[in-house]
Amino acid sequence: MKKRSLGTSGLEVSEIGLGCMGMDHAYGKPAPRKDMIELLHRSCELGCNFYDTAVVYGEANEEVLGDAFSSMRDKVVLATKFGITGQRIVDDKPVNILDSKPASIRRQVEGSLRRLKTDYIDLYYQHRTDPEVEPEVVAEVMNDLIREGKIRAWGLSCAPVDYLKRAHAVCPVAAIEDQYSLLWREPEEDMFDLCRDLNITFVAYSPLGNGFLSGCYTTSTVYGEGDFRSFMGRFRPEVMRRNQQLLDYVRETAAKKGATPAQLVLAWELAQRPFIVPIPGTTKMKRLEENLGAAAITFTDAELADFNNALAGIEVDETHF
């Protein structure tokens, strides 16, 4: 698989990475550890080297990466996150507890290093911005951690453009992680221009729209216990029906290119900008092989133009929460 640069950090990552959240969080019961270690090793065999986790997904989510890669640490690029130290329930909904104070970041990084069974983190994201801590303060801590060798590069997740600019001026940001897919194209409005201008990688989470764009789900799908798609706005029957035209077009185009819908969508993302790295998640070996196989699907300039022109004529309901 081809590689893409991670900002100006000097790190190179596979052009398709693996989001590990679903192994423990949001999509049902935690997956068996043995199976996940086999899946992680298989991903390496297929050319993937970029793995995304966070302690808020459950400590076991970092630990499974440590168990899988401790003997081959130099072969992988591990990304984890700080800034969310837990969750509390408010009006029956989980609300993040934010803490990016310098002393807290220090405690958080030590915990992640221990669980990942490593003495350095390749990419350390601020998971969510903390309104009580200025971006310059966070960036200075990142400068210190880089100098100390505890992290190699840092990034931001779901951060506003102005915050990114201020942080980058103090310590260069290697990557910004945010949602991007055919169902959510907001980053095209201003974030992509900033990534181009500042040489920052855009890491796209939920590139398949939480699985909707794979074509595997219908209005009658029954989701397992703990799967947040059961109450996610994107999967409400009326929203899915409104987006059926998009799904039909993706399926039709994929068939012409000898690809699956998921592969076509991921290949489209790679073709959109040279600095985009999608990180689809899965716990299934078949889906892993399918997703990583998207790297072999290419668009000519004419095909990409035709595809994007057709998309412009399809009304998309961007409801996702």
Side-chain angles (χ1 to χ4, degrees):
M1 188 185 298
K2 293 179 181 178
K3 301 284 182 66
R4 294 194 170 187
S5 297
L6 202 60
T8 58
S9 68
L11 297 171
E12 289 193 330
V13 298
S14 51
E15 58 185 357
I16 300 176
L18 179 61
C20 300
M21 180 184 77
M23 296 178 182
D24 290 284
H25 180 77
Y27 290 103
K29 296 179 180 179
R33 300 298 89 178
K34 180 177 178 293
D35 293 350
M36 293 305 93
I37 289 174
E38 289 179 0
L39 183 138
L40 290 164
H41 288 169
R42 177 59 176 154
S43 70
C44 281
E45 293 172 359
L46 294 171
C48 179
N49 78 336
F50 186 37
Y51 302 90
D52 183 274
T53 182
V55 67
V56 76
Y57 305 155
E59 292 188 358
N61 206 252
E62 290 184 322
E63 290 169 348
V64 73
L65 291 178
D67 291 341
F69 296 133
S70 60
S71 64
M72 49 188 292
R73 181 64 183 88
D74 61 333
K75 305 296 184 185
V76 297
V77 177
L78 301 182
T80 192
K81 307 177 185 76
F82 68 92
I84 299 178
T85 58
Q87 293 183 323
R88 62 177 181 271
I89 303 300
V90 178
D91 296 330
D92 297 325
K93 295 181 180 179
V95 176
N96 292 326
I97 300 171
L98 304 176
D99 192 347
S100 285
K101 297 180 181 66
S104 179
I105 294 173
R106 289 281 180 178
R107 290 192 296 271
Q108 292 174 64
V109 74
E110 294 300 333
S112 289
L113 288 168
R114 182 179 65 256
R115 288 183 290 272
L116 290 167
K117 296 184 178 180
T118 184
D119 55 6
Y120 67 93
I121 294 165
D122 296 291
L123 178 61
Y124 201 37
Y125 289 110
Q126 184 181 29
H127 205 162
R128 293 292 186 273
T129 60
D130 183 343
E132 296 185 8
V133 183
E134 298 296 327
E136 291 84 359
V137 173
V138 174
E140 277 297 353
V141 179
M142 297 301 108
N143 267 328
D144 291 342
L145 293 177
I146 290 171
R147 282 193 292 265
E148 294 165 19
K150 293 187 176 181
I151 69 173
R152 299 177 72 185
W154 83 293
L156 297 167
S157 177
C158 299
V161 165
D162 288 346
Y163 188 100
L164 174 56
K165 289 178 179 178
R166 290 172 60 187
H168 184 79
V170 175
C171 183
V173 173
I176 176 77
E177 179 176 295
D178 212 333
Q179 181 176 185
Y180 180 60
S181 75
L182 286 171
L183 292 173
W184 184 256
R185 299 178 65 175
E186 185 177 281
E188 295 175 357
E189 295 175 11
D190 51 15
M191 188 59 76
F192 281 2
D193 286 345
L194 188 63
C195 287
R196 179 199 62 210
D197 295 344
L198 298 182
N199 198 1
I200 294 173
T201 299
F202 186 94
V203 177
Y205 74 75
S206 298
L208 298 175
N210 306 100
F212 175 77
L213 293 165
S214 70
C216 297
Y217 302 94
T218 70
T219 56
S220 60
T221 298
V222 177
Y223 301 96
E225 181 181 352
D227 191 329
F228 78 155
R229 285 173 294 200
S230 63
F231 55 82
M232 192 179 189
R234 178 171 287 161
F235 288 87
R236 290 202 301 265
E238 65 273 18
V239 178
M240 294 183 76
R241 283 192 287 269
R242 284 195 287 271
N243 284 327
Q244 188 61 46
Q245 183 184 0
L246 172 64
L247 194 59
D248 290 344
Y249 180 65
V250 167
R251 185 182 292 111
E252 173 189 318
T253 307
K256 292 178 181 177
K257 291 186 72 65
T260 68
Q263 288 175 332
L264 183 86
V265 170
L266 293 171
W268 170 81
E269 288 208 7
L270 291 174
Q272 283 291 91
R273 302 289 192 283
F275 49 76
I276 295 175
V277 177
I279 52 167
T282 187
T283 59
K284 298 178 176 62
M285 194 71 75
K286 180 180 178 181
R287 294 299 176 203
L288 173 79
E289 294 172 350
E290 176 184 357
N291 291 343
L292 296 181
I297 308 299
T298 59
F299 282 84
T300 65
D301 290 344
E303 286 175 334
L304 184 62
D306 287 345
F307 190 74
N308 283 331
N309 286 337
L311 291 176
I314 297 174
E315 186 174 348
V316 175
D317 184 335
E318 294 191 336
T319 299
H320 58 287
F321 293 125

